[in-house]
Amino acid sequence: MKLSKKNLDQRLDHLYDVIIVGGGAGGLSAAVYLQRYRLSCLVIEKGRGRSFWMQELRNYLGLPPETPGRELLNHGTEHVLELGGDYLRGFVEDIQDEGETFAVKVKVGKTDSVYPVFRSKYVIAASGIIDQLPTLPDMQNVYDYAGYNLHVCMICDGYEMADKKCGLFVHTESAINTAFVLNWFTPYITVFTQGLCTVGDEMRQKLKEFGFPLVETPIKRFLGQHHEMTGVELENGAIVELETGLVAMGSLYHNGYLKGLDLQWKGENLVTDSMCRTSHPRIFAVGDLKEGINQVSIAVADGTLAATTIWREIRRASTPRRWEENLTQPTIEPIGAVS
Amino acid sequence: MKLSKKNLDQRLDHLYDVIIVGGGAGGLSAAVYLQRYRLSCLVIEKGRGRSFWMQELRNYLGLPPETPGRELLNHGTEHVLELGGDYLRGFVEDIQDEGETFAVKVKVGKTDSVYPVFRSKYVIAASGIIDQLPTLPDMQNVYDYAGYNLHVCMICDGYEMADKKCGLFVHTESAINTAFVLNWFTPYITVFTQGLCTVGDEMRQKLKEFGFPLVETPIKRFLGQHHEMTGVELENGAIVELETGLVAMGSLYHNGYLKGLDLQWKGENLVTDSMCRTSHPRIFAVGDLKEGINQVSIAVADGTLAATTIWREIRRASTPRRWEENLTQPTIEPIGAVS
């Protein structure tokens, strides 16, 4: 059921099989599987994750290409609730490993916040990442285009950028290398650093060899209308016309609540085995938090793998169920043998 | 485009980037990604695969739980065609490794068959498996219930069987062990062997301890109506009432066309790395053909992994695209530097 400040007291004494941090594609897929394995789970979602921002989910099999990410999330949340899963809007602040159980502390409510602690046998870290966007004086101007034709994922949207005049927005020199992959889709690339990094001679030379202009002047604003970006106006008043854009400014990882636990990291990603288990036997990581390709399809499969592995362990540790009424009879004759 | 006997000649001289054998969830997902990576692919589908038979796809995130498998396949096929992929109904008989390319021989048409040979750089084996069903005198009686409440996949449908009187249909002694996993969902299990295997004393004793009756008499027919199986009638006239059933009679693997190639197998499954590459560097395997959990979500992610890996290789081997018109200018001044 949906938990809120009003009813969460009902679950404070409950030991969940699994608490899932993050109600994106990976977390919801795990919850669907776990509930169907007849385990109890709680999904804790802070809101506005990466797939929430996707305007069109063009490469997830079975959904119409124009499906917004939030529609996937809404359907998935409904699905979990129908299966009897619990769902809470809140921000996980901390997880304590208590040996057999985890204590998960959640901040619920932006005002008059409460801080309930829920307990579970397993944790699935599905809290993902969020793409960093260019910082402009008017951030609404950025949000007007981000996720529309100002893209954040080349794998998802390279196809949409094909052969278009494309701005590549970076804030480190190494991110400029994205241009030399993006050119598979379009060679009409202008690189914008906003002067946030130093660009060495070698990189300048390479850009020149590829014909990709480098713009280091800060951006004043994106131009366009109806969520269609048509260029940028620089602080010096110059205008660069564009038809599309790719932001390659890295991601913020929602993993702060895991930092106190004994886990193996590779950068900000959790290292996992082929079933999405981290170096802690009762903590799994799915989707963008773990190493690999950041795609909805991968996150959904990760949820399947983590849930199935947890189910197998819990099942094997449980008392097997017998057909009790048959056991009260002294001898069970195979039905087929009676003829 | 859709290929058929009438127009397939147009593609006999084309070198595809990838030929995908099998238009199920894994193959279609790979095709969507490949076309979006601007590669050319041909999907060859023999029809009536495993997901075609699924009446309700209850655990794939984003689709309503009552979505039939064939709807997923139809949507996916349309999606691939919209993206410019080729699609052919046919049966792959043989694949020859020609060094740089593969020659894929297809039987098209059940009558007046033709046998075109298509060529590609890579092959994705996505032809999957099909579940074996009990063989009864009237097979239509089996098809009336298989995929409805006579299930073939415990992970998919254990939840639907929960606490119901369940028939477990097997044809080997080892498959009887499925009962001791199925009892997580329901303990009201009757095992039917139809006398197709010998059951040793140890197994008989274990079934007795669990209270699971063993029926070795052959089945005459399933009882029920409107696709709802309500029991079985045995050849000796006895009737066993049931509310649901699970068939655990193994699978047939659609992998005959791969047997002439130098590939590493584990039983009938292809061994793959974490990106779904087989031991042959240009052959990938996705979905049920490879080792792992047989689930739509996994197959869809496999398609993503295989397609992305192939794209990366083809991209790296290609001549990088430059912005030609900028190269004709003697010096490119960064636009932003002009102020």
Side-chain angles (χ1 to χ4, degrees), chain B residues 111-130:
Chain B
T111 55
D112 304 319
S113 307
V114 295
Y115 296 85
V117 175
F118 299 94
R119 283 187 164 75
S120 65
K121 297 177 192 167
Y122 289 81
V123 162
I124 296 180
S127 42
I129 62 175
I130 194 78

Side-chain angles (χ1 to χ4, degrees), chain A residues 4-258:
Chain A
S4 67
K5 278 184 197 173
K6 289 176 188 164
N7 64 357
L8 60 79
D9 285 357
Q10 295 179 39
R11 294 295 198 258
L12 295 181
D13 295 331
H14 180 69
L15 177 61
Y16 287 101
D17 290 305
V18 189
I19 289 178
I20 301 167
V21 185
L28 291 172
S29 176
V32 165
Y33 271 85
L34 289 166
Q35 290 296 132
R36 291 182 62 83
Y37 287 137
R38 307 185 90 192
L39 298 173
S40 78
C41 70
L42 166 63
V43 177
I44 304 171
E45 164 61 19
K46 64 161 184 39
R48 303 166 94 73
R50 195 182 202 215
S51 42
F52 175 85
W53 292 99
M54 288 175 205
Q55 297 306 325
E56 292 176 331
L57 198 60
R58 296 184 164 276
N59 55 17
Y60 182 65
L61 196 76
L63 294 185
E66 65 278 10
T67 307
R70 71 189 74 184
E71 198 173 306
L72 177 82
L73 302 182
N74 289 341
H75 280 172
T77 304
E78 282 307 309
H79 196 167
V80 171
L81 289 168
E82 280 166 23
L83 289 164
D86 282 352
Y87 187 93
L88 173 67
R89 278 289 183 135
F91 182 81
V92 172
E93 294 212 325
D94 182 57
I95 296 184
Q96 293 291 329
D97 184 356
E98 303 178 318
E100 297 287 302
T101 58
F102 293 105
V104 178
K105 183 182 169 194
V106 189
K107 177 181 176 176
V108 180
K110 285 202 171 174
T111 56
D112 303 323
S113 307
V114 296
Y115 295 85
V117 174
F118 299 93
R119 283 188 165 73
S120 65
K121 298 177 193 167
Y122 289 81
V123 162
I124 296 179
S127 41
I129 61 175
I130 194 79
D131 305 284
Q132 299 199 70
L133 297 173
T135 307
L136 300 191
D138 173 17
M139 281 310 289
Q140 188 54 49
N141 172 254
V142 181
Y143 301 142
D144 278 349
Y145 304 108
Y148 293 88
N149 71 332
L150 178 60
H151 301 286
V152 294
C153 171
M154 197 195 317
I155 286 183
C156 307
D157 295 311
Y159 184 81
E160 312 304 321
M161 297 186 262
D163 299 323
K164 288 184 178 162
K165 281 195 178 181
C166 182
L168 175 66
F169 302 91
V170 302
H171 67 344
T172 62
E173 184 181 17
S174 68
I176 298 177
N177 286 306
T178 307
F180 310 111
V181 180
L182 179 59
N183 64 340
W184 172 264
F185 296 102
T186 180
Y188 311 119
I189 299 168
T190 302
V191 177
F192 295 84
T193 66
Q194 299 206 74
L196 296 169
C197 58
T198 307
V199 181
D201 288 342
E202 203 177 329
M203 182 62 84
R204 285 179 194 277
Q205 184 55 33
K206 190 168 179 188
L207 287 170
K208 198 171 281 191
E209 282 165 17
F210 276 80
F212 301 160
L214 173 68
V215 179
E216 299 180 84
T217 306
I219 294 167
K220 189 173 170 190
R221 63 185 177 118
F222 288 100
L223 304 172
Q225 57 182 344
H226 305 309
H227 302 300
E228 193 184 333
M229 189 267 291
T230 55
V232 295
E233 182 182 340
L234 303 179
E235 282 203 348
N236 61 15
I239 285 174
V240 183
E241 288 185 6
L242 299 170
E243 295 168 298
T244 187
L246 178 68
V247 179
M249 301 179 66
S251 310
L252 291 175
Y253 285 72
H254 297 302
N255 58 14
Y257 64 95
L258 295 164

Side-chain angles (χ1 to χ4, degrees), chain B residues 9 14 32 64 97 197 230 237 252 274 301 318 333 335:
Chain B
D9 285 357
H14 180 69
V32 166
D97 184 355
C197 57
T230 57
L252 292 175
S274 64
S318 303
E333 282 303 319
I335 298 175

